[in-house]
Amino acid sequence: MTTEQTAADLPIWRDGRFQADEWALAGEGEAVSEGPALLPLARFLAEREALAARNAPLGVLVEPNEAIEELAPHLDRVALVALNFPKYADGRAMSSARLLRERYGYRGEVRAVGDVLIDQMPLMRRCGFDAFAVANEPTRRQLAAGKWPDVPFYLQPTGATTQHEIPAGTRPWARRPD
Amino acid sequence: MYRYDEFDHGFVAARTAQFRDQVERRLSGELTEDQFKPLRLMNGVYLQLHAYMLRIAIPYGTLSARQLRKLAHIGRVYDKGYGHFTTRQNIQFNWPALKDIPAILDELASVEMHALQTSGNCIRNVTTDHFAGAAADEIADPRPYAEILRQWSSIHPEFSYLPRKFKIAVTGAPSDRAAIQLHDIGLELKRGPDGATGFAVYVGGGQGRTPMIAHKVRDYLPEEELLTYIEAVMRVYNLHGRRDNKYKARIKILVHETGAAEITRQIEAEYEEVRKTDLLRLPESEIQRIAAYFAPPDLPEKPARSGALEAAKADSREFATFVENNVTPHKAAGYGVVTVSLKPIGGIPGDATDRQMEVVADLAERYSQSEIRVSHEQNLVLPHVALDDLPALYASLKAQGLATGNAGLVTDIIACPGLDYCALANARSIPLAQDLSTRFGSPERQKEIGELKIKISGCINACGHHHVGHIGLLGVDKRGEEVYQITLGGSGDETASVGALVGPGFKTEEVVDAVETVVDTYLRLRESPDETFLAAVRRLGQQPFKEALYGAA
Ligand code: HEM
Ligand code: SF4
């Protein structure tokens, strides 16, 4: 790994490589930047009329205790939904991601942020995440080395996942990677 | 028996390879014990008081002779020559070396077994009636549905990081031998109005420190809707179950705090949404395909009455007792379901030596269509035995110390590992079980007492199911001293109830006497020998037992 590929410069794992983060977080009371802006859900809901006049893309940061249903009616104006994992073992955002993709048909970026570790990433992807903000160094090292600890035999149809899966055999619940 | 196809083999092999890599990373020091913990837990590896422990799944408690032989082999080569059958139809090995665990998993994979999801906050091994597919009172075999649930829940991407572990049990018979009302989800197979097959669905039961009986959320769910409905329950739980306190994280607490009516409404609303996708509907053809693996064996026709059996019973009191207690009616005339007790008088409940496992495997081949079951009461079961073969089977079992005729009686005790193995324990469970078994061990005494379930837990986590013991014993720590509390009137069957504490606890040296006092009180006050202990406690209440134990107030 080259020195440029540090968590600070290229924090986002997307499409099989580390990339820069073009989004700026605007927490409560902070200024909203000119470029792509990421707002906490409450702020987005409160200010969305005013924000509609902006020209740059909007993203929304959703905490696991917040209901993704509240964001659902506004998804057509949102280019990024970042779902937070305060701890890797908190699986609520897994459900939120599936609802975004499968129930609300959301096509924009669904990003995992927070405690994102390699052993959960294949599961996240199957739930519909397509981008991952990765700070954990061992995880970054393993991703850079091409590791992706998937078990490529799936026993659940997770609907509109971001990876292409096809039915495996006659079981309606089984899938394999295409 | 379910047979793996290429897909299933690929799945288990890939998963074992993944875990092998994780074990190597741990052994090389790349992973700390903290980082390794969630990974090993997903693969059934616990850290106990003295060593790592490996818990192996026995889905719905069904084993082939070949699989049981493999477990014997693992016990001999990688452990100290025995295995321990648990209350969740699993087997545990208490002494494997971490470096050997990937090799053990390979051995298991060679007989279509694994240790997946026997721990961690995921959907655990699905349990059923240990008499499934054999019992005379069954509506339908629950195992095909348990197998479908097992598959669908394996490495579920959405439900592998639940608030807490999640246990599902299925019964196919109205007399519930799977304790479904004490599970996170309990499923009871039943016939619908149109004669079709479906389920009554119970949610929110559990033991542990806050025992609760499940609520029925659905009186009838058509079978093709099974996965759709379960996904809805799981999603409601995953999103709304408490994560702030691990003792309040089970679904029973969510049901309790939200209210049964409201949780039912949420589940039904989510179910309607999941249904729209039509992804999880089970086609009849697929249910049939899985059910075919569990087709009843082709048993030769026999007369209902066996002359050989009757003659042997007349010959030996001991054998007659065995038949009376350990043989249950089979669907097919002339056959019986045999419980092989792992509760020898004075022995350790649930332990079996490698040799005993091999003998049971041999006997299953000879007398029971190569099939064995593991019961949640920590016994083994031979499900399809011709009544004519019982005398010979009995003789072989007896030679291995496996012919104790005490199924369902006072010495058929469930006990958790307790202080001998478990870091959380307040008290010893196994030695107490041994002492009680010895005290009540005489056949005459056991017969007089009749059906009575004693269950022992070494701490409030309730691994030994004391809440549903007719007599429950709970180890508590009272200022550094081991003390046992006694509960009365619990039951895990279709009349499920949680036992009530009878009064202050007893010291180790007093507790066996105290249990005897309770039993003698029952014998004195029962209306007739037909009134079981449980029925008597339900009729009499606690008062007479309190008085006998603590004197009149
Ligand atoms: C040896 C170490 C063991 C430890 C440290 C341990 C720990 C625990 C803990 C902490 C709980 C409570 C979890 C909860 O309900 O939130 C629990 C529950 C349970 N354990 Fe164990 N356990 C051990 C062995 C066993 C064994 C050998 C068995 C089977 C014989 C067993 C069966 C169960 C069952 C059935 C429950 C209750 C499930 C319920 O709440 O419905 N455990 N255990
Ligand atoms: S009940 Fe307590 S003492 Fe017994 S095994 Fe469970 S955690 Fe250990």
Side-chain angles (χ1 to χ4, degrees):
Chain A
M1 196 165 42
T2 63
T3 45
E4 288 86 358
Q5 280 181 321
T6 59
D9 295 335
L10 300 174
I12 306 301
W13 180 259
R14 191 199 291 125
D15 299 330
R17 61 195 171 86
F18 284 110
Q19 304 182 18
D21 185 3
E22 60 277 24
W23 292 83
L25 177 66
E28 288 306 330
E30 292 171 15
V32 178
S33 67
E34 298 280 295
L38 181 63
L39 281 78
L41 178 64
R43 181 167 185 190
F44 169 82
L45 291 174
E47 300 175 23
R48 72 193 159 74
E49 304 286 347
L51 291 164
R54 279 172 88 256
N55 255 335
L58 274 178
V60 181
L61 173 64
V62 182
E63 296 299 326
N65 61 347
E66 295 175 326
I68 205 70
E69 289 80 358
E70 292 190 37
L71 181 59
H74 317 295
L75 283 170
D76 54 346
R77 277 180 284 146
V78 172
L80 165 75
V81 180
L83 299 175
N84 188 27
F85 288 83
K87 290 189 212 130
Y88 77 84
D90 185 337
R92 285 176 286 187
M94 297 290 201
S95 287
S96 300
R98 282 196 70 192
L99 292 175
L100 276 174
R101 294 291 189 210
E102 297 173 44
R103 190 157 301 164
Y104 305 120
Y106 181 64
R107 295 250 151 264
E109 179 173 317
V110 179
R111 179 184 289 187
V113 303
D115 194 10
V116 177
L117 303 179
I118 188 149
D119 290 291
Q120 288 76 45
M121 287 175 68
L123 301 180
M124 291 174 177
R125 183 160 157 204
R126 293 203 65 226
C127 286
F129 289 94
D130 55 356
F132 309 85
V134 185
N136 176 268
E137 267 312 317
T139 296
R140 292 182 65 86
R141 265 199 310 277
Q142 289 177 60
L143 287 169
K147 279 220 178 179
W148 186 256
D150 194 14
V151 173
F153 298 84
Y154 311 129
L155 287 153
Q156 311 78 23
T158 47
T161 60
T162 47
Q163 66 186 40
H164 201 225
E165 296 175 7
I166 57 174
T170 58
R171 294 173 244 200
W173 57 90
R175 294 287 185 278
R176 57 187 176 79
D178 191 11
Chain B
M1 295 264 316
Y2 185 70
R3 293 304 311 262
Y4 280 15
D5 64 10
E6 266 174 53
F7 183 92
D8 301 304
H9 278 296
F11 176 86
V12 171
R15 184 53 188 242
T16 305
Q18 184 186 51
F19 188 55
R20 182 184 293 277
D21 172 67
Q22 290 161 350
V23 168
E24 275 160 17
R25 278 152 62 202
R26 172 72 192 108
L27 290 172
S28 75
E30 182 188 328
L31 289 177
T32 64
E33 181 53 38
D34 250 17
Q35 291 165 329
F36 182 55
K37 182 175 171 186
L39 307 175
R40 65 169 164 76
L41 284 179
M42 293 273 173
N43 289 281
V45 181
Y46 280 78
L47 194 54
Q48 290 197 133
L49 209 49
H50 311 290
Y52 283 108
M53 175 267 271
L54 178 65
R55 182 181 293 162
I56 294 164
I58 302 175
Y60 32 87
T62 297
L63 281 171
S64 67
R66 186 164 149 257
Q67 290 173 325
L68 184 55
R69 250 187 225 112
K70 180 62 83 178
L71 295 177
H73 169 81
I74 291 170
R76 180 160 52 238
V77 176
Y78 302 100
D79 201 302
K80 295 184 175 177
Y82 61 93
H84 182 76
F85 290 96
T86 77
T87 51
R88 299 212 68 258
Q89 298 185 312
N90 294 318
I91 184 169
Q92 291 180 180
F93 289 104
N94 287 315
W95 308 99
L98 182 58
K99 69 169 176 41
D100 289 336
I101 287 178
I104 300 176
L105 296 179
D106 281 340
E107 300 244 21
L108 289 171
S110 74
V111 293
E112 308 187 357
M113 293 183 75
H114 59 70
L116 292 177
Q117 298 187 197
T118 54
S119 52
N121 294 336
C122 53
I123 301 173
R124 302 286 191 85
N125 187 27
V126 179
T127 52
T128 56
D129 180 357
H130 43 271
F131 294 163
D137 63 348
E138 182 171 272
I139 287 166
D141 191 334
R143 292 172 301 163
Y145 306 95
E147 172 61 24
I148 289 170
L149 286 166
R150 179 192 75 80
Q151 294 190 12
W152 165 81
S153 62
S154 294
I155 320 190
H156 197 296
E158 183 180 353
F159 305 132
S160 287
Y161 293 92
L162 297 167
R164 203 73 179 81
K165 59 184 169 183
F166 203 91
K167 301 176 181 176
I168 304 177
V170 197
T171 175
S175 28
D176 177 10
R177 288 170 289 258
I180 64 162
Q181 294 182 50
L182 291 141
H183 283 75
D184 297 285
I185 294 179
L187 297 166
E188 178 195 346
L189 270 163
K190 62 191 284 192
R191 296 273 174 236
D194 48 359
T197 308
F199 301 92
V201 185
Y202 294 79
V203 170
Q207 303 195 46
R209 62 188 65 208
T210 332
M212 289 193 189
I213 305 294
H215 292 271
K216 195 197 263 190
V217 292
R218 255 270 172 166
D219 190 53
Y220 183 73
L221 178 76
E223 60 175 355
E224 68 268 20
E225 297 293 299
L226 177 63
L227 293 183
T228 308
Y229 197 86
I230 302 290
E231 174 149 303
V233 177
M234 297 312 302
R235 185 163 300 130
V236 168
Y237 173 55
N238 190 41
L239 283 170
H240 304 298
R242 285 180 62 172
R243 290 177 189 260
D244 58 326
N245 176 342
K246 83 173 206 175
Y247 299 117
K248 297 195 186 298
R250 298 289 292 269
I251 196 173
K252 63 191 173 190
I253 304 291
L254 178 67
V255 174
H256 182 72
E257 291 182 349
T258 314
E262 172 59 17
I263 207 81
T264 306
R265 191 196 63 72
Q266 291 179 14
I267 291 168
E268 289 288 330
E270 182 60 31
Y271 166 62
E272 285 307 323
E273 288 292 333
V274 181
R275 259 180 90 157
K276 289 182 196 158
T277 69
D278 209 33
L279 277 168
L280 288 171
R281 198 177 49 80
L282 295 174
E284 179 62 25
S285 59
E286 197 54 24
I287 296 175
Q288 291 305 331
R289 191 183 69 83
I290 304 265
Y293 290 112
F294 300 93
D298 224 350
L299 299 171
E301 265 187 52
K302 301 255 180 199
R305 192 174 173 287
S306 157
L309 170 63
E310 296 309 323
K313 270 171 37 180
D315 237 29
S316 155
R317 273 272 295 284
E318 199 182 55
F319 175 66
T321 302
F322 175 84
V323 174
E324 187 182 332
N325 295 316
N326 293 35
V327 182
T328 313
H330 195 282
K331 277 180 184 173
Y335 290 82
V337 183
V338 177
T339 298
V340 178
S341 169
L342 297 180
K343 320 287 175 64
I345 301 308
I348 297 178
D351 269 5
T353 64
D354 56 336
R355 184 74 197 118
Q356 286 177 327
M357 288 188 248
E358 272 165 356
V359 168
V360 174
D362 291 345
L363 294 174
E365 257 165 11
R366 198 157 353 131
Y367 300 117
S368 179
Q369 308 289 322
S370 295
E371 228 183 281
I372 303 103
R373 306 292 174 75
V374 181
S375 82
H376 78 272
E377 301 187 317
Q378 300 180 286
N379 290 318
L380 299 177
V381 172
L382 296 173
H384 312 290
V385 180
L387 298 181
D388 293 339
D389 291 335
L390 283 172
L393 172 64
Y394 177 78
S396 305
L397 287 172
K398 195 170 155 114
Q400 292 298 325
L402 288 168
T404 318
N406 62 349
L409 300 183
V410 60
T411 58
D412 187 2
I413 298 169
I414 292 185
C416 80
L419 208 52
D420 297 283
Y421 293 99
C422 175
L424 306 175
N426 292 322
R428 268 157 253 275
S429 311
I430 292 171
L432 174 56
Q434 292 173 296
D435 289 348
L436 285 166
S437 168
T438 307
R439 175 74 63 98
F440 292 105
S442 95
E444 296 72 28
R445 188 92 189 274
Q446 297 194 63
K447 186 177 165 73
E448 185 193 10
I449 298 167
E451 185 186 343
L452 174 48
K453 298 185 188 221
I454 298 183
K455 306 190 191 231
I456 310 171
S457 301
C459 80
I460 194 66
N461 287 313
C463 302
H465 297 189
H466 67 277
H467 295 300
V468 294
H470 300 166
I471 298 177
L473 296 168
L474 166 65
V476 292
D477 177 280
K478 210 170 153 212
R479 283 176 236 106
E481 200 176 7
E482 290 176 34
V483 167
Y484 295 88
Q485 294 182 341
I486 298 181
T487 56
L488 297 178
S491 167
D493 65 7
E494 64 282 3
T495 66
S497 56
V498 170
L501 183 64
V502 71
F506 295 89
K507 294 181 190 162
T508 308
E509 61 277 14
E510 301 165 343
V511 64
V512 177
D513 289 338
V515 172
E516 190 162 35
T517 302
V518 169
V519 172
D520 288 342
T521 306
Y522 153 68
L523 292 175
R524 188 159 48 78
L525 298 178
R526 69 183 177 189
E527 284 179 326
S528 77
D530 290 337
E531 187 180 44
T532 61
F533 180 86
L534 182 62
V537 169
R538 285 177 173 170
R539 176 175 60 84
L540 293 162
Q542 302 258 359
Q543 202 49 38
F545 298 96
K546 272 198 173 94
E547 279 169 23
L549 285 168
Y550 306 105

